[in-house]
Amino acid sequence: MTTGRLFTDKDRLARQLVSCPHVHKPRRGESTYLDDHGPPAPRVLPFPSQVVYNRVGKCGSRTVVILLRLLAEKHQFNLVSSDIHNKTRLTKHEQVDLMKNISNIPQPFLYTRHVHFLNFTRFRIEQPVYINIIRDPINRFLSNYFFRRFGDWRGEQNHLIRTPGMKDDERYLDINVCILENYPECSNPRVFYIIPYFCGQHPQCREPGVWALERAKQNVLENYLLVGILEELEDVLLLLERLLPHYFTGVLNIYKSPDYRKMGNMTGTVRKHTPTLEALQVLYHRMRYEYEFYNFIRDQFHLMKKKIGLKSVSQPTAYSPAFLQELALRTPEPLDEDEELDTDLEDANSWLVHP
């Protein structure tokens, strides 16, 4: 930011001296470079110099924002990280105001906020380059469910600050009850969450269905430089370093450093556990469009990795029809009423490795 201001101030001074030569007459011995040669050439900005990361909730965005703060200082780009977390859908006037504000950030910049895709060209404003990261939809849902209730390792009272109005009967609601008894938090349209971030601000983008799914795919292909998946975060960072070196050079070294690891571990959600098989099956069915989109993104991401020579091991998603069928075969017979099931489902919890 200091460098940007320096160039701006120099340009402004040069223009003033050239347009108003009578303001300053050089004395004997003073340089007349500007009179002889005109203002210095404007700084050539790398492309792209306008990047928007409309980060999806509970998809590793806090991890990436911590990295971006360190990178912005290192590479001297302007990082603007909005502290608005609960307003992803905007009126037409709010969209225009936000897009104008983003466009006026001194370049190069990276703007990040939890907000659904904004179509700058619709309002004849220059379209920035978009980036994003998503994750397995059920894992994202579980992380959000428990984070809202119990926060993360940054502080025991973190969740009380974020959801102060939540009553205890809601805070301690069993997730299986929430899913199986069709509570609003665990059913559509609330679980139709990832696709609207890419579909946009159209009201139909919030309705679970093929229209929103296809529009989200089209926007990804036309407007996003990269959409990665959290399950392969190191490869996402590697690709960002290749595609946007003036923003992300050195990001993997920072990410793997002991100091960053210590800081990043504070963002893990606490008290998170896996629902029953029956609840998972119901939830998967409700999120089938989300999974179709996730699989599309994963395929696109693997295709880009292949183009630059990174190998991808083809693995099924954590929660797929095949997985649910296999898990059903491994589920033990129901216990008698007087027995207690004392197991922590280590295998199941091992899938939930990301905050």
Side-chain angles (χ1 to χ4, degrees), residues 189-335:
R190 295 281 290 276
V191 298
F192 188 71
Y193 183 87
I194 297 175
I195 288 175
Y197 272 87
F198 299 87
C199 179
Q201 298 290 333
H202 193 285
Q204 203 169 341
C205 286
R206 303 191 289 272
E207 299 177 11
V210 174
W211 188 91
L213 169 65
E214 293 304 321
R215 183 159 179 161
K217 289 180 180 179
Q218 181 180 358
N219 280 336
V220 167
L221 294 175
E222 294 179 355
N223 297 288
Y224 282 80
L225 180 66
L226 178 71
V227 181
I229 56 174
L230 187 61
E231 291 79 7
E232 300 175 33
L233 181 57
E234 286 196 17
D235 286 347
V236 175
L237 298 177
L238 178 61
L239 280 179
L240 286 171
E241 192 169 18
R242 298 277 187 92
L243 296 170
L244 297 169
H246 45 294
Y247 291 97
F248 287 95
T249 293
V251 65
L252 273 177
N253 292 334
I254 297 174
Y255 178 70
K256 293 180 178 180
S257 66
D259 290 340
Y260 173 79
R261 288 289 187 181
K262 186 185 300 183
M263 187 165 38
N265 287 339
M266 300 302 290
T267 64
T269 303
V270 300
R271 298 200 192 185
K272 185 167 56 178
H273 62 271
T274 305
T276 64
L277 171 63
E278 182 184 6
L280 282 174
Q281 289 172 324
V282 170
L283 193 57
Y284 182 86
H285 178 73
R286 289 175 186 166
M287 303 177 81
R288 59 192 182 277
Y289 294 114
E290 295 273 277
Y291 270 97
E292 186 171 341
F293 183 72
Y294 174 80
N295 291 333
F296 165 79
I297 293 298
R298 189 182 60 165
D299 290 344
Q300 292 292 317
F301 179 63
H302 286 174
L303 180 62
M304 183 170 290
K305 285 170 61 176
K306 184 178 179 180
K307 287 180 178 179
I308 69 166
L310 283 176
K311 292 184 178 180
S312 294
V313 179
S314 181
Q315 295 179 343
T317 58
Y319 300 100
S320 62
F323 158 78
L324 293 173
Q325 184 177 7
E326 180 185 351
L327 184 60
L329 296 175
R330 292 189 280 114
T331 302
E333 292 297 319
L335 300 174

Side-chain angles (χ1 to χ4, degrees), residues 16 21 31 33-35 51 81 103 139 143 149 177 189 218 225 233 259 280 290 294 309 337 343 347:
Q16 288 174 349
S31 171
Y33 177 87
L34 288 176
D35 295 331
V51 178
S81 183
S103 298
N139 274 343
S143 183
R149 286 160 171 77
V177 173
Q218 181 180 358
L225 180 66
L233 181 57
D259 290 340
L280 282 174
E290 295 273 277
Y294 174 80
E337 290 183 4
T343 177
D347 291 338

Side-chain angles (χ1 to χ4, degrees), residues 131-186:
I131 60 173
N132 219 321
I133 301 173
I134 66 171
R135 74 191 290 187
D136 181 280
I138 288 180
N139 274 343
R140 193 220 67 82
F141 168 78
L142 296 177
S143 183
N144 183 66
Y145 185 89
F146 293 107
F147 175 71
R148 289 185 67 247
R149 286 160 171 77
F150 308 114
D152 55 31
W153 296 109
R154 290 178 295 177
E156 290 296 326
Q157 302 303 312
N158 179 267
H159 59 290
L160 298 178
I161 297 172
R162 182 168 290 273
T163 54
M166 184 179 287
K167 298 180 180 178
D168 282 351
D169 57 349
E170 182 183 359
R171 191 176 303 281
Y172 296 100
L173 174 66
D174 185 284
I175 191 168
N176 297 296
V177 173
C178 183
I179 296 170
L180 296 175
E181 296 188 13
N182 206 26
Y183 278 65
E185 185 178 359
C186 300

Side-chain angles (χ1 to χ4, degrees), residues 49-82:
S49 59
Q50 303 178 72
V51 178
V52 171
Y53 170 29
N54 64 320
R55 61 186 192 267
V56 182
K58 303 311 296 175
C59 288
S61 62
R62 282 180 295 151
T63 297
V64 177
V65 168
I66 292 173
L67 290 170
L68 284 169
R69 287 172 183 164
L70 300 172
L71 291 165
E73 183 177 354
K74 179 180 179 181
H75 298 308
Q76 295 294 293
F77 63 85
N78 291 312
L79 173 66
V80 178
S81 183
S82 174

Side-chain angles (χ1 to χ4, degrees), residues 62-129:
R62 282 180 295 151
T63 297
V64 177
V65 168
I66 292 173
L67 290 170
L68 284 169
R69 287 172 183 164
L70 300 172
L71 291 165
E73 183 177 354
K74 179 180 179 181
H75 298 308
Q76 295 294 293
F77 63 85
N78 291 312
L79 173 66
V80 178
S81 183
S82 174
D83 58 0
I84 300 174
H85 304 290
N86 57 357
K87 191 172 179 60
T88 57
R89 308 162 187 172
L90 310 176
T91 67
K92 186 178 293 186
H93 292 297
E94 288 171 336
Q95 292 177 52
V96 173
D97 288 344
L98 178 57
M99 287 186 283
K100 285 182 178 178
N101 288 337
I102 292 173
S103 298
N104 287 330
I105 300 171
Q107 300 179 32
F109 70 78
L110 193 151
Y111 177 84
T112 175
R113 172 179 166 174
H114 292 296
V115 65
H116 294 170
F117 174 78
L118 296 163
N119 187 350
F120 285 64
T121 56
R122 179 187 174 198
F123 299 97
R124 298 185 179 181
I125 303 174
E126 184 180 357
Q127 182 86 344
V129 164

